[in-house]
Amino acid sequence: MALRIALGLAMTAVGFAVAGHRLWWLYRLARRGQPAPERIEAVRSGIGERITAQLAEVFGQRKLLKWSLPGLAHFFVFWAFVILLTVYIEAYGALFDHDFHIPLIGTWPVLGFAQDFIAVAAFCGLVAFGAIRIRTSPKRLDRGSRFYRSHLGGAWLILFMIFNVFWTMFLFRGSAINTGAFPYRTGAFVSEGAAAALAPLGEGVNGALETAGLLAHLAVMLTFLVIIAYSKHLHIFLAPLNVLFSRRPDGLGPLLPMRSNGKVIDFEDADPDEDVFGRSKVEDFTWKGLLDFATCTECGRCQSQCPAWNTGKPLNPKLVITDLRDHALAKAPYILASSDEEREKLPDEVKAEAERPLVGDEAAGGVIHPDVLWSCTTCGACVEQCPVDIEHVDHILDMRRYQVLIESSFPSEANTLLKNLENKANPWGLNAEARLDWTEGLDFEVPVVDEKVPDDVEYLFWVGCAGALEDRAKKTTRAIAELLHLAGVKFAVLGPMEGCTGDPARRIGNEFLFQMLAQQNVETLNEAFGDRPAKKIVAMCPHCFNTLSREYPQIGGDYDVVHHTQLLSQLVAEGRLTPVTPIEESITYHDPCYLGRHNKVYTPPREILANVPGMQAREMHRCRDRGFCCGAGGARMWMEERIGKRVNAERVDEALALDPDLVSTACPFCLVMLGDAIAEKKQSGDAKESLEIVDVAQLLVRSVRQQEQPAERSS
Ligand code: SF4
Ligand code: SF4
């Protein structure tokens, strides 16, 4: 017994010391990141929501279960880690007291059953993981595999270690039953089977096997602990922490304001020498950013949904995270060195790593290639899929911010966009007066706000730059106005007083220009609404909808904003709009990323379509939260797409597979991008001439109008 105690304690001391050393080193590294006081504050003030998130994402494995077989396998392995902690408590207790059981619950047969059951279920999970890995292994260099460039060797070692946990557990428990030291009389069905198999060996051998099984079980756990601390499987410890400190409800929707040393940057007193503008080196990320990098499991779920990666671009969200992690770890001795003298003594490879620019091409040895950075459409598919709540979009945008604000380095064609936004407050550089051109020819008057929103007006209609100035999008604007008029909704527009919300400036990384545009709009809106209790806005564009509702509160603009599909669907439900004219056509709906994934508005546009008589709607293979981007977001609308297949062409191919008569959407940018791709497909003979792209509002107005009125068609 004394030897057993001594060996058990010695192993434990060594295991914890080696793992603890590494964890302390990682903690010190994370502390070198920028502070993120808002994350701590969010946990403090929203502890209930955080607990719910832990229950759903960590304990319920919500996101992983969307991937049926691997998700279920992971679910069982995760719960084995939780439930088998009780077996380790029993094992440590048995080191000192042969007849130990956990107080209160330690002889309850349900616990004995749960321990054995979860071990068997997790073993089946291991077999499934092994099969998935064998099946994908030969393809691992293929960019179509979600394990492309993932570290699969380590994964096999982890599976082997988990297997070792199980057999040592049953050896220890089976022999303990035979020596009369097992706490459960019934329930532990696998342990009882092991006991039956070992019983013929006699009590003496079973006693020796019990000690050997116990020590082996502890040794496996301690070795496992060390392996986890030194490998990418750190996510086993870090995932709950990362979920705890993640943005709620997710890292989508609004972008975070730019912070330096934990404080939001005020551009009026910012000091480029003191303040950190975006990210120019890995230690400029906050500790939460560094935690994100260390938490990545390399599962590749993000990459499998990324429109850039799926169309042959160099951007792979998994590799962005793992490349940043590998760089942070390789540069860590330099970051942690306390003096220049200490840094001088570091090995050459560490010094070389420290000199790599964060963003740079092959010649510059950059960690992230500029083509990677500028390929992102900020569609959020990666963030939506990530099972450990990594916030890829924030990191990509923070790197863009440094490139744009400090280096003035971005795709040259975006120059025109930024100049037009700065000088004319719209991407096309048109005069403000042109913002009312879309009203020409309407058979009712559209009220224009003159300083104050009139008292009888319920909604301010935020038309947006595309809705006001882009010819195809203007048809949607007219349809919405007509529908609101028919439903008797009192609305008004800002006309020339409206300016770009700043979304494209913010997504390209020009936070300064975003602030300028946004502050101007917030001043106009606050003045227009005055002290009205209800400040209702209906936005035509999902990008405007996202910015007005979720980003303007960051700068003092609090409004009650709905997207046009939400309001129109409500008007149909209330009977204020009645679609009567049948549209006997087949249709497929494309989810705009900033309406769907970023703001979870999936149902209202579909409800509108469902209410149009005669319409036969079919879903594309990738829809709702797995919808595929049109290629316009992240200011990509104003950049050339030189690498790989065009994202809009890929999306239209997916729609064409259903052979629809109509493709519908609810965003002016999607309308333009998909419209361009359809026009090309028609030219090449790959799409029928009659195929049309329309906003759901255009369809609704066609159906609501009396049959004798001419329908306005888009081509
Ligand atoms: S936001 Fe979209 S385009 Fe950007 S990395 Fe994520 S999935 Fe890819
Ligand atoms: S970032 Fe998230 S989804 Fe992507 S590989 Fe890592 S853990 Fe998986």
Side-chain angles (χ1 to χ4, degrees):
M1 193 73 177
L3 182 63
R4 167 162 141 159
I5 295 174
L7 277 173
L9 290 182
M11 285 186 321
T12 306
V14 172
F16 275 90
V18 177
H21 177 264
R22 173 70 171 184
L23 294 178
W24 174 244
W25 183 84
L26 289 168
Y27 172 74
R28 284 176 51 227
L29 180 59
R31 289 287 308 258
R32 292 299 169 105
Q34 291 260 319
E38 74 285 1
R39 302 288 179 152
I40 313 274
E41 184 45 40
V43 173
R44 242 188 240 136
S45 59
I47 193 71
E49 192 190 1
R50 304 280 152 170
I51 292 172
T52 312
Q54 289 285 321
L55 292 176
E57 299 199 3
V58 179
F59 292 96
Q61 305 268 292
R62 181 180 68 86
K63 288 191 178 174
L64 282 165
L65 284 173
K66 286 184 188 168
W67 297 67
S68 42
L69 179 63
L72 196 64
H74 199 278
F75 179 85
F76 286 134
V77 172
F78 167 79
W79 273 99
F81 273 92
V82 176
I83 294 174
L84 296 187
L85 274 179
T86 58
V87 174
Y88 275 103
I89 294 172
E90 288 168 354
Y92 271 102
L95 254 190
F96 300 95
D97 173 4
H98 191 238
D99 298 319
F100 175 82
H101 65 81
I102 300 172
L104 301 177
I105 53 166
T107 56
W108 192 32
V110 173
L111 182 59
F113 172 80
Q115 291 166 336
D116 280 18
F117 171 79
I118 200 66
V120 173
F123 178 76
C124 295
L126 291 193
V127 174
F129 279 140
I132 292 169
R133 281 189 173 25
I134 288 168
R135 212 186 52 195
T136 51
S137 188
K139 293 195 283 173
R140 113 169 167 245
L141 294 179
D142 168 357
R143 57 182 280 148
S145 160
R146 77 181 164 93
F147 298 112
Y148 175 78
R149 277 183 55 195
S150 293
H151 296 88
L152 293 184
W156 280 114
L157 178 62
I158 293 297
L159 295 187
F160 177 63
M161 291 308 296
I162 300 175
F163 170 71
N164 287 335
V165 168
F166 299 147
W167 75 258
T168 55
M169 165 182 159
F170 290 120
L171 178 65
F172 157 54
R173 285 158 73 90
S175 48
I177 290 175
N178 292 336
T179 61
F182 194 58
Y184 308 98
R185 280 219 209 127
T186 57
F189 60 102
V190 184
S191 303
E192 284 163 16
L198 296 172
L201 299 175
E203 195 168 329
V205 175
N206 269 281
L209 285 178
E210 186 198 339
T211 298
L214 169 63
L215 292 176
H217 194 48
L218 295 181
V220 166
M221 181 271 285
L222 293 164
T223 311
F224 200 6
L225 189 69
V226 171
I227 291 172
I228 290 171
Y230 284 84
S231 73
K232 69 141 188 155
H233 290 274
L234 259 179
H235 78 267
I236 295 171
F237 296 146
L238 299 184
L241 265 188
N242 209 47
V243 171
L244 179 71
F245 290 108
S246 63
R247 287 169 59 184
R248 305 281 6 131
D250 55 31
L252 296 171
L255 270 187
L256 299 176
M258 263 177 71
R259 287 176 182 266
S260 170
N261 297 312
K263 291 202 187 93
V264 174
I265 292 185
D266 175 352
F267 283 96
E268 282 183 11
D269 334 306
D271 178 350
D273 295 326
E274 291 283 314
D275 286 313
V276 176
F277 286 77
R279 313 289 179 236
S280 66
K281 46 192 189 305
V282 76
E283 57 270 38
D284 285 346
F285 286 93
T286 65
W287 59 261
K288 172 61 175 66
L290 297 172
L291 182 62
D292 268 2
F293 307 155
T295 307
C296 179
T297 68
E298 303 189 29
C299 68
R301 287 174 172 84
C302 52
Q303 131 191 343
S304 69
Q305 302 296 311
C306 174
W309 184 251
N310 278 288
T311 53
K313 318 282 188 289
L315 165 61
N316 175 327
K318 174 185 76 183
L319 297 180
V320 167
I321 299 299
T322 55
D323 286 349
L324 287 169
R325 177 197 64 197
D326 294 346
H327 171 63
L329 292 176
K331 190 180 174 185
Y334 186 90
I335 297 170
L336 291 172
S338 50
S339 64
D340 286 345
E341 225 175 29
E342 212 179 300
R343 282 188 197 104
E344 240 349 277
K345 289 186 198 144
L346 289 169
D348 287 346
E349 61 272 19
V350 175
K351 287 193 247 174
E353 192 69 35
E355 276 168 21
R356 290 178 73 192
L358 191 66
V359 176
D361 60 16
E362 294 87 352
V367 179
I368 303 294
H369 195 284
D371 287 340
V372 167
L373 199 61
W374 296 108
S375 292
C376 181
T377 68
T378 69
C379 73
C382 47
V383 177
E384 175 76 40
Q385 286 301 323
C386 181
V388 291
D389 284 1
I390 287 170
E391 296 158 358
H392 315 67
V393 176
D394 291 351
H395 303 317
I396 290 173
L397 264 293
D398 276 336
M399 289 187 277
R400 282 188 180 182
R401 283 168 168 172
Y402 179 82
Q403 293 301 310
V404 172
L405 294 171
I406 303 296
E407 298 285 332
S408 285
S409 169
F410 51 85
S412 56
E413 61 273 19
N415 249 320
T416 317
L417 162 76
L418 295 177
K419 276 201 190 110
N420 287 338
L421 289 176
E422 211 173 316
N423 299 329
K424 299 282 186 179
N426 70 75
W428 289 276
L430 297 172
N431 287 328
E433 289 64 38
R435 283 185 174 270
L436 283 173
D437 288 356
W438 65 271
T439 58
E440 280 166 22
L442 286 176
D443 56 10
F444 56 91
E445 202 188 323
V446 175
V448 181
V449 172
D450 175 22
E451 286 189 18
K452 292 266 178 244
V453 176
D455 287 344
D456 64 336
V457 164
E458 188 182 359
Y459 281 95
L460 186 71
F461 179 17
W462 187 273
V463 177
C465 300
L469 304 169
E470 207 284 332
D471 286 342
R472 283 168 285 184
K474 279 191 218 171
K475 292 177 184 170
T476 310
T477 313
R478 289 164 66 89
I480 298 169
E482 190 175 336
L483 287 163
L484 295 179
H485 175 70
L486 286 171
V489 175
K490 294 274 184 205
F491 71 95
V493 296
L494 284 174
M497 288 203 300
E498 192 185 290
C500 174
T501 57
D503 163 86
R506 196 172 219 198
R507 262 88 198 152
I508 210 169
N510 195 334
E511 185 70 5
F512 175 71
L513 182 54
F514 163 74
Q515 295 282 342
M516 224 171 77
L517 293 163
Q519 268 157 10
Q520 177 59 57
N521 282 325
V522 167
E523 264 171 43
T524 306
L525 286 167
N526 286 351
E527 174 71 23
F529 281 123
D531 51 10
R532 283 167 72 114
K535 296 171 178 162
K536 292 189 187 179
I537 298 177
V538 54
M540 183 265 205
C541 165
H543 297 264
C544 298
F545 168 58
N546 181 63
T547 309
L548 290 165
S549 61
R550 302 188 66 193
E551 296 190 343
Y552 280 12
Q554 295 168 359
I555 50 167
D558 284 293
Y559 316 110
D560 183 3
V561 190
V562 290
H563 182 251
H564 72 265
T565 55
Q566 291 174 301
L567 180 57
L568 295 179
S569 140
Q570 183 194 325
L571 294 171
V572 171
E574 289 170 356
R576 292 169 68 183
L577 287 174
T578 311
V580 283
T581 308
I583 301 181
E584 302 284 353
E585 292 187 278
S586 64
I587 190 162
T588 188
Y589 173 72
H590 161 83
D591 285 285
C593 302
Y594 275 82
L595 187 61
R597 235 176 342 252
H598 283 279
N599 285 288
K600 315 292 178 256
V601 179
Y602 298 115
T603 309
R606 289 177 168 82
E607 281 174 349
I608 294 174
L609 295 179
N611 274 290
V612 173
M615 189 82 76
Q616 302 133 44
R618 282 175 68 196
E619 293 287 3
M620 277 182 267
H621 149 65
R622 290 183 274 210
C623 60
R624 293 181 177 263
D625 61 347
R626 291 199 186 182
F628 196 78
C629 185
C630 72
R636 290 273 343 148
M637 174 99 175
W638 289 275
M639 296 179 213
E640 294 296 331
E641 196 174 331
R642 298 188 184 90
I643 310 172
K645 182 177 177 179
R646 293 181 66 87
V647 175
N648 57 350
E650 172 74 8
R651 186 52 163 166
V652 164
D653 278 342
E654 210 163 301
L656 290 179
L658 299 173
D659 190 25
D661 302 317
L662 299 166
V663 177
S664 67
T665 188
C667 168
F669 296 113
C670 298
L671 194 84
V672 169
M673 294 299 280
L674 300 183
D676 286 350
I678 287 174
E680 277 170 27
K681 297 278 171 196
K682 284 182 186 174
Q683 259 182 5
S684 61
D686 294 325
K688 56 190 177 196
E689 267 312 307
S690 58
L691 181 65
E692 206 188 343
I693 169 90
V694 280
D695 188 283
V696 290
Q698 289 172 269
L699 289 173
L700 183 62
V701 84
R702 283 182 202 172
S703 183
V704 167
R705 277 176 188 153
Q706 293 306 306
Q707 225 151 6
E708 61 273 16
Q709 285 188 284
E712 191 174 44
R713 291 191 68 90
S714 309
S715 52

